[in-house]
Amino acid sequence: MRMISKMVLVLVTLSVTALMAFDVAEVNKRTTKGFKPAVVKDWQAPDEKTIPNNMFGDYVRYGKQLITETYKYIGPEVADKNMRYAGNNLACNNCHQDAGTKKWGAPYMSTFANFPQYRNREDTIGTIEERINGCMMRSMNGKPLPVMGKEMKSMVAYMFWLGQGVPIGAKVEGAEFPKVDRKIVMKRAADPIKGEVVYKENCASCHGENGAGVKREGKANGYEFPPLWGNDSYNTGAGMYRVLKSADWIVANMPLGATNQSRILTDDQAYDVAAYINNYDKPRPKKANKEKDFPDVKVKAPDTDMLPYLDDKTRHQHKFGPYKDIIIPAKK
């Protein structure tokens, strides 16, 4: 009888572990569009000289300006209060590097071709405009742009222009985030103490010891180097606030001059410094209604620190790892 009880307990435990962790295969199932996507390996940014001298071209050029100098046009310090959509003085370009053209730097070359798409954060089929406004309310700590307004249309026009020739639904090499070694994150938690050492040696010279960045003089003039925490940085609902997401971006883009092919930090260093930057002792704006993110916990991002979870891991472990038994890799 005891043997049967133990066997039942083992089977239940195994079933619970498999069912209640973040299942990559389930996310893949929901994001598939039902056809085999084309693969583009040699994308090159189009020549800006080809932007036409007409209304469409004006929107494309304005869209790029909005990406590179967000603070100048829709930031919190612009003279026209009705245009203050961003809540901080960052630029989209801070994350979407080189105006969204840098491979593995959160680029835009395949963005237009891949919407609408399933979004697990909202558990819905999202539009490109909704995705842009997600950044506006999170990374930019602001409010949504009017969907039919010139600013939204211009950003979409710029992304459309960048993606010329990219097939619908295509996977473009360099469009995705690279990933720090998942064997590392499965085995150990990110260490903010080690991350502080990495930060002081590799990041503080630009972003400052206090993470405040270097602000340019004058109003609506943005930063030479953006703040990584504090009141003028991204809020707790931003993707960059999540340790895994942040580490994946950092490893291929930071410090300044790094690329995915010529990395400066190791995977361990990127993992640890992401934890340091996003640790709970760093002040930053709070995202309102963050508890509504990932309403279907079966596809909740593994590194979000917002309860509830379907596994038995703590909020702290979801934030910092280790991610063994939190992430179930998809079978190859």
Side-chain angles (χ1 to χ4, degrees):
M1 193 70 178
R2 287 182 179 177
M3 185 176 293
I4 293 174
S5 298
K6 287 181 179 179
M7 288 176 64
V8 170
L9 179 60
V10 169
L11 288 171
V12 169
T13 302
L14 288 173
S15 299
V16 167
T17 301
L19 178 64
M20 294 188 175
F22 175 78
D23 192 339
V24 176
E26 176 63 23
V27 177
N28 292 344
K29 178 182 174 182
R30 297 190 188 194
T31 56
T32 184
K33 293 183 173 68
F35 59 89
K36 186 176 182 180
V39 177
V40 178
K41 292 188 176 183
D42 55 354
W43 179 85
Q44 297 294 324
D47 188 343
E48 291 187 24
K49 294 178 182 178
T50 66
I51 300 175
N53 291 315
N54 56 18
M55 184 182 293
F56 175 76
D58 292 342
Y59 273 58
V60 170
R61 280 183 282 268
Y62 183 42
K64 182 184 178 183
Q65 290 174 322
L66 286 165
I67 299 301
T68 58
E69 299 177 295
T70 319
Y71 46 81
K72 181 178 179 180
Y73 298 97
I74 56 173
E77 296 177 351
V78 297
D80 185 351
K81 293 183 179 180
N82 292 324
M83 291 298 292
R84 295 177 179 176
Y85 290 100
N88 58 39
N89 287 284
L90 302 182
C92 303
N93 193 68
N94 293 139
C95 292
H96 304 279
Q97 298 212 314
D98 297 345
T101 66
K102 182 184 177 185
K103 293 181 179 180
W104 292 284
Y108 296 136
M109 78 282 273
S110 67
T111 301
F112 190 89
N114 278 279
F115 276 90
Q117 65 177 218
Y118 175 74
R119 303 289 303 165
N120 61 333
R121 188 168 64 193
E122 294 78 23
D123 191 34
T124 192
I125 301 302
T127 66
I128 192 170
E129 292 84 3
E130 288 171 326
R131 183 68 187 91
I132 290 170
N133 273 335
C135 279
M136 287 299 302
M137 293 185 287
R138 296 167 186 272
S139 297
M140 304 305 296
N141 191 39
K143 59 185 181 181
L145 291 168
V147 171
M148 297 306 294
K150 182 179 180 181
E151 284 65 38
M152 179 64 80
K153 289 181 178 180
S154 295
M155 285 188 176
V156 173
Y158 176 65
M159 294 175 189
F160 174 88
W161 179 81
L162 271 187
Q164 57 188 271
V166 174
I168 293 296
K171 291 186 176 181
V172 181
E173 187 178 67
E176 72 279 10
F177 271 32
K179 291 185 177 181
V180 296
D181 188 346
R182 289 309 191 247
K183 292 180 181 178
I184 292 173
V185 308
M186 292 290 192
K187 290 180 180 178
R188 73 169 182 90
D191 188 337
I193 296 175
K194 290 181 179 178
E196 182 177 11
V197 176
V198 177
Y199 183 86
K200 288 180 177 179
E201 292 178 352
N202 296 277
C203 315
S205 59
C206 291
H207 297 287
E209 290 286 343
N210 61 355
V214 178
K215 199 169 189 293
R216 300 187 187 99
E217 293 184 5
K219 293 289 186 181
N221 209 19
Y223 286 85
E224 190 67 29
F225 302 107
L228 300 183
W229 60 86
N231 291 333
D232 212 27
S233 189
Y234 55 87
N235 68 35
T236 58
M240 203 61 76
Y241 181 64
R242 290 162 38 201
V243 170
L244 279 182
K245 178 74 78 173
S246 179
D248 288 343
W249 185 89
I250 288 170
V251 76
N253 294 285
M254 288 290 128
L256 193 64
T259 67
N260 194 41
Q261 293 82 7
S262 300
R263 297 181 178 186
I264 295 174
L265 300 181
T266 66
D267 287 16
D268 283 289
Q269 288 175 317
Y271 187 37
D272 290 333
V273 79
Y276 173 72
I277 292 168
N278 292 296
N279 202 2
Y280 293 120
D281 63 348
K282 305 294 187 299
R284 70 176 65 253
K286 306 294 184 184
K287 171 67 174 69
N289 301 314
K290 184 183 172 185
E291 69 279 0
K292 295 182 179 179
D293 288 356
F294 303 101
D296 187 343
V297 290
K298 289 185 290 185
V299 289
K300 193 171 205 171
D303 55 343
T304 184
D305 65 345
M306 184 58 63
L307 297 166
Y309 308 115
L310 283 181
D311 57 46
D312 60 353
K313 309 306 181 202
T314 64
R315 177 172 178 253
H316 186 276
Q317 185 170 345
H318 274 267
K319 174 84 172 166
F320 298 104
Y323 292 95
K324 185 178 185 297
D325 295 331
I326 292 178
I327 300 174
I328 301 177
K331 295 180 180 179
K332 296 182 179 180

